[in-house]
């Protein structure tokens, strides 16, 4: 046998390989199917999805990031699309559905160009140039606002909440979101920063959404440690201790020999004396409330109760940090270091009952740098979705406070970008021109989808927006879904953060470019049943099979 005929085996048995156009088609179809799955949820008139996992747990939502996080995607290219949503959610907190829908449109249009014989590298190059131009156009049409302009911030939050299940209580949620972010915002190195980690969100099923409230302080899922302690203290002086209020055990086995009864009594008396000294240290600091990150001995609880001190134990580290910011106190790691300067101040500390559970409420702090949003609702499904909605609203308010820039929503910015990109394409020429034009077409998928989800004529709406954009201040005109017509959205209060729009375009473009560059998928043999990775697989729970008709397999 000649050496030329000897087969060379590079891959393990069972490994699957898809190359060239077939690999590209598979990946693009999977990514487009993901975009199609969330497309109907876009905008105020979008639908909701009910997701049921393998254990039967149900999630009802129209939040793109949540939908893609909950469905168990197998196809690797589809997983890339779920990462688009995750990146968008982590970096700006909103616009996840827009980013995924836009990425799907970019791939669909790229597929048309590949069919015409345009090489993926040229498409990628055109998309990169179009992305840079699109983001520059957004900067150009962005409107500067003051970071403390409450009315505008409320409009931004309301635009985000319009598309949520809880939009019926939009006014209340809007006010809570803006107040919460303004409360925790601060100047750091000359720029305004709002760290949302300082806003604690607590869900308590019961009552209704209208009972959701902002607490200028912290709510702890704890109760007073001793029945003899007061359950309410006004003008609270709070000691925050990261230490055990108990006798420390030895680190190794120790044996104490006691010969007489008096020695035993002396040993117990000394133990009690040490505990009393600890309690006296707390009392002498002027504290009347003790919040402890670790344990509190039974004897210590007894002495604290006798001194009229309200004590709580085993509080999470994150809650301790929030308490320190809310009350102006300092977390002390050793009890003996505690002094008056370390105490936090709050108008009231009380034990309250929410539903069947006791909670500790620290409120009426003078200028809390950390706050709590208490979400109420008729069921866990409602409070879950309310938390997702409020988290998005907080994120967009944060984005505007930090950047001070907004753009018109309702597809206005996307149409402006599309129109200017077509002008750019004409000046470039060549095959790259085709890619930029396709990018411009993809931008229009946002206003078209918003119109379709509201039962309006998409082509008619986009044509109307374009005609308005030819005039002065045209970039402000877009689709007001509540009126069902094209209006000045900046006047109408339908506005979004520049950061959200800009990141959505960048995330979508990067995902599309990444998928377009793949021409070879080598997948190892699957460990268990199911489609091998890299081949058109499916999603558990009927995908494909349970997919809507006409949707390509993932």
């Amino acid at each position: 046998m000649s050496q030329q005929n000897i087969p060379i085996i590079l891959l393990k048995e069972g490994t699957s390989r898809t190359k060239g156009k077939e690999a590209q088609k598979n990946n693009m179809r999977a990514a487009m199917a993901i975009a199609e799955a969330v497309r109907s949820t876009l905008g105020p008139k979008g639908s909701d999805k009910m997701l049921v996992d393998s254990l039967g747990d149900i999630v009802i939502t129209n939040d793109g990031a949540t939908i893609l996080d909950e469905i168990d995607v197998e196809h690797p290219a589809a997983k890339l699309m779920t990462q688009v949503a995750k990146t968008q959610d982590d970096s700006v907190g909103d616009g996840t559905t827009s980013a995924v829908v836009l990425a799907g449109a970019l791939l669909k249009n790229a597929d048309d160009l590949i069919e015409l014989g345009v090489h993926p590298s040229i498409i990628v190059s055109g998309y990169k140039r179009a992305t840079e131009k699109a983001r520059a156009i957004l900067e150009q049409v962005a409107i500067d606002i003051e970071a403390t302009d409450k009315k505008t911030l409320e409009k931004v939050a309301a635009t985000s909440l319009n598309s949520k299940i809880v939009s019926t209580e939009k006014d209340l949620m809007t006010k809570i979101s803006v107040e919460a972010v303004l409360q925790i915002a601060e100047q750091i190195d000359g720029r305004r920063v709002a760290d949302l980690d300082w806003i604690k969100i607590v869900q308590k099923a019961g009552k209704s959404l209208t009972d959701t409230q902002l607490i200028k302080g912290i709510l702890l899922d704890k109760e007073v440690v001793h029945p003899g302690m007061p359950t309410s203290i006004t003008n609270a002086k709070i000691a925050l201790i990261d230490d055990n209020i108990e006798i420390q055990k030895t680190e190794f086995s120790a044996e104490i020999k006691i010969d007489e009864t008096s020695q035993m009594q002396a040993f117990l008396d000394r133990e009690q004396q040490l505990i009393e000294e600890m309690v006296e240290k707390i009392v002498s600091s002027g504290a009347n409330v003790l919040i402890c990150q670790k344990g509190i001995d039974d004897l210590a609880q007894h002495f604290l109760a006798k001194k009229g001190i309200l004590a709580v134990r085993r509080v999470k580290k994150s809650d301790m940090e929030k308490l320190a910011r809310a009350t102006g106190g300092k977390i002390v790691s050793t009890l003996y270091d505690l002094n008056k300067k370390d105490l936090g101040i709050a108008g009231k500390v009380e034990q309250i009952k929410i539903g069947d559970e006791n909670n500790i409420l620290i409120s009426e702090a003078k200028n809390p740098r950390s706050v709590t949003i208490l979400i109420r609702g008729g069921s866990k499904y409602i409070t879950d979705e309310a938390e997702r909605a409020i988290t998005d609203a907080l994120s967009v308010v944060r984005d505007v406070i930090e950047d001070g820039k907004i753009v018109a929503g309702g597809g206005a910015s996307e149409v402006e970008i599309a129109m200017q990109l077509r002008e750019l394409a004409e000046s470039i020429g060549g095959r790259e021109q085709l890619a930029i034009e396709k990018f411009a077409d993809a931008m229009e998928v946002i206003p078209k989808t918003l119109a379709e989800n509201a039962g309006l004529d998409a082509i008619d709406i986009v044509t109307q927006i374009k005609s308005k954009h030819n005039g002065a201040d045209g970039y402000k005109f877009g689709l007001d879904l509540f009126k069902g017509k094209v209006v000045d959205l900046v006047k109408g209060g339908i506005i979004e953060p520049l950061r959200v729009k800009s990141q959505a375009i960048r995330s979508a473009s990067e995902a599309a470019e990444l998928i377009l560059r793949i021409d070879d998928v080598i997948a190892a043999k699957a460990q268990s049943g199911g489609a091998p990775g890299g081949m058109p697989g499916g999603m558990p729970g009927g995908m494909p099979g349970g997919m809507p008709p006409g949707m390509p397999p993932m």
Side-chain angles (χ1 to χ4, degrees):
M1 185 188 289
S2 68
Q3 285 188 336
Q4 286 181 339
N5 295 329
I6 297 172
I8 297 170
I9 300 169
L10 294 175
L11 306 171
K12 274 186 181 180
E13 188 182 349
T15 301
S16 66
R17 184 173 186 180
T18 321
K19 292 193 288 184
K21 272 199 172 183
E22 189 189 346
Q24 282 174 339
K25 287 279 182 191
N26 281 345
N27 288 333
M28 289 164 83
R29 287 176 73 215
M32 285 187 273
I34 286 285
E36 201 59 41
V38 297
R39 187 173 171 174
S40 63
T41 68
L42 186 69
K45 305 288 184 179
S47 307
D48 301 327
K49 305 283 180 186
M50 179 185 277
L51 310 167
V52 186
D53 68 13
S54 54
L55 299 173
D57 290 335
I58 298 168
V59 174
I60 301 167
T61 184
N62 64 359
D63 182 71
T66 307
I67 293 166
L68 296 179
D69 190 44
E70 290 289 332
I71 57 178
D72 192 4
V73 180
E74 276 186 19
H75 196 289
K79 283 181 180 175
L80 290 176
M81 291 291 275
T82 64
Q83 281 297 314
V84 173
K86 190 170 186 333
T87 303
Q88 181 76 11
D89 202 40
D90 292 346
S91 56
V92 295
D94 199 15
T96 49
T97 308
S98 298
V100 173
V101 168
L102 185 54
L106 288 170
L107 286 167
K108 183 176 182 297
N109 292 354
D111 191 28
D112 295 343
L113 289 178
I114 289 169
E115 287 297 315
L116 293 172
V118 181
H119 195 276
S121 292
I122 294 168
I123 300 171
V124 167
S125 174
Y127 277 9
K128 275 188 188 299
R129 185 177 287 200
T131 304
E132 286 170 22
K133 179 66 176 171
R135 297 183 74 209
I137 295 164
L138 279 175
E139 290 282 351
Q140 174 192 321
V141 300
I143 300 162
D144 292 333
I145 69 149
E146 285 296 319
T148 52
D149 182 351
K150 230 175 177 183
K151 279 189 178 176
T152 305
L153 292 175
E154 285 177 1
K155 287 174 186 174
V156 171
T159 302
S160 173
L161 289 166
N162 275 337
S163 59
K164 311 297 182 190
I165 293 173
V166 296
S167 61
T168 48
E169 298 304 328
K170 180 178 67 178
D171 293 346
L172 172 66
M173 303 288 185
T174 293
K175 282 188 170 60
I176 286 173
S177 303
V178 172
E179 272 189 54
V181 182
L182 285 173
Q183 191 65 50
I184 58 107
E186 55 193 330
Q187 289 285 131
I188 298 178
D189 298 331
R191 67 189 184 93
R192 208 159 173 79
V193 175
D195 185 350
L196 298 186
D197 286 343
W198 298 123
I199 299 173
K200 183 178 184 183
I201 300 177
V202 179
Q203 289 185 37
K204 296 285 179 184
K207 294 197 174 181
S208 73
L209 274 173
T210 52
D211 296 295
T212 297
Q213 59 179 295
L214 174 66
I215 298 164
K216 293 198 173 175
I218 303 297
L219 185 71
L220 300 175
D221 195 9
K222 296 285 175 185
E223 59 185 355
V224 173
V225 294
H226 191 281
M229 288 177 177
T231 54
S232 178
I233 286 184
T234 50
N235 298 322
K237 295 175 179 60
I238 306 161
L240 302 168
I241 309 289
D242 177 17
D243 194 10
N244 289 297
I245 314 296
E246 56 191 18
I247 303 298
Q248 293 294 314
K249 305 284 188 290
T250 54
E251 290 184 14
F252 47 86
S253 297
E255 201 174 278
I256 299 170
K257 289 191 176 178
I258 294 173
D259 302 325
E260 298 174 22
T261 318
S262 59
Q263 286 179 332
M264 183 65 187
Q265 189 57 47
F267 179 78
L268 293 172
D269 288 348
R270 178 62 185 148
E271 204 171 60
Q272 182 173 323
Q273 188 186 343
L274 287 169
I275 294 285
E276 279 191 82
E277 284 173 12
M278 288 180 182
V279 172
E280 195 51 48
K281 179 67 183 167
I282 293 163
V283 173
S284 63
S285 73
N288 52 15
V289 175
L290 169 66
I291 310 285
C292 187
Q293 194 173 324
K294 295 178 182 172
I296 301 176
D297 186 86
D298 288 353
L299 195 56
Q301 291 176 27
H302 167 71
F303 288 127
L304 286 165
K306 278 178 74 176
K307 296 288 185 181
I309 291 174
L310 186 157
V312 183
R313 64 177 169 180
R314 308 214 182 279
V315 175
K316 288 189 297 189
K317 184 183 178 185
S318 60
D319 284 344
M320 292 290 284
E321 289 167 350
K322 288 183 179 75
L323 271 168
R325 275 182 63 97
T327 62
K330 183 182 171 190
I331 301 169
V332 178
S333 54
T334 308
L335 180 61
Y336 294 100
D337 289 343
L338 181 68
N339 60 54
K340 195 174 182 180
K341 288 187 296 182
D342 300 323
L343 301 181
I345 308 294
K348 200 167 191 182
V349 175
E350 58 187 322
Q351 180 171 286
I352 59 171
K353 211 170 186 71
I354 302 176
D356 296 331
E357 298 173 350
N358 283 325
N359 294 263
I360 300 293
L361 176 62
I362 298 100
S363 61
E364 297 175 24
K366 195 174 181 183
N367 185 26
R369 312 304 301 161
S370 184
V371 295
T372 304
I373 296 174
L374 174 62
I375 297 174
R376 305 306 305 271
S379 71
K380 185 76 168 65
Y381 301 126
I382 292 292
T383 56
D384 278 345
E385 186 62 6
E387 179 170 348
R388 285 189 281 269
I390 283 179
T391 303
D392 283 1
L394 293 170
S395 299
V396 295
V397 173
R398 181 266 322 269
D399 296 341
V400 174
I401 283 176
E402 291 186 350
D403 297 346
K405 286 179 184 291
I406 56 163
V407 292
S413 304
E414 287 82 2
V415 170
E416 183 65 27
I417 289 168
M419 290 174 74
Q420 291 199 36
L421 281 180
R422 289 195 180 99
E423 289 174 18
L424 171 71
E426 284 176 20
S427 68
I428 286 172
R431 292 195 165 199
E432 207 169 285
Q433 172 184 348
L434 298 173
I436 295 171
E437 283 173 352
K438 286 294 186 185
F439 195 103
D441 293 343
M443 292 305 302
E444 289 177 359
V445 78
I446 301 296
K448 281 179 181 173
T449 304
L450 289 171
E452 284 167 11
N453 290 348
L456 302 170
D457 186 313
I459 295 170
D460 187 37
I461 291 293
V462 172
T463 306
Q464 284 181 48
I465 298 174
K466 282 181 182 175
S467 67
K468 289 284 187 184
H469 278 239
N470 288 321
D473 285 347
Y475 62 88
K476 295 178 181 177
F477 283 82
L479 174 60
D480 184 335
L481 285 159
F482 297 103
K483 293 178 181 173
K485 56 185 181 182
V486 175
V487 298
D488 183 333
L489 295 181
V490 176
K491 276 185 188 168
I494 299 171
I495 49 179
E496 297 180 57
L498 168 66
R499 191 191 290 187
V500 170
K501 284 274 184 233
S502 190
Q503 181 63 44
I505 292 170
R506 182 161 61 181
S507 299
S509 177
E510 284 176 358
E513 288 163 22
L514 190 64
I515 289 168
L516 279 169
R517 284 180 178 278
I518 299 166
D519 76 336
D520 201 347
V521 179
I522 302 166
K525 186 179 181 181
Q527 294 297 312
S528 57
M535 297 298 287
M539 294 183 188
M543 282 189 142
M547 278 188 176
M551 188 184 286
M554 296 183 198

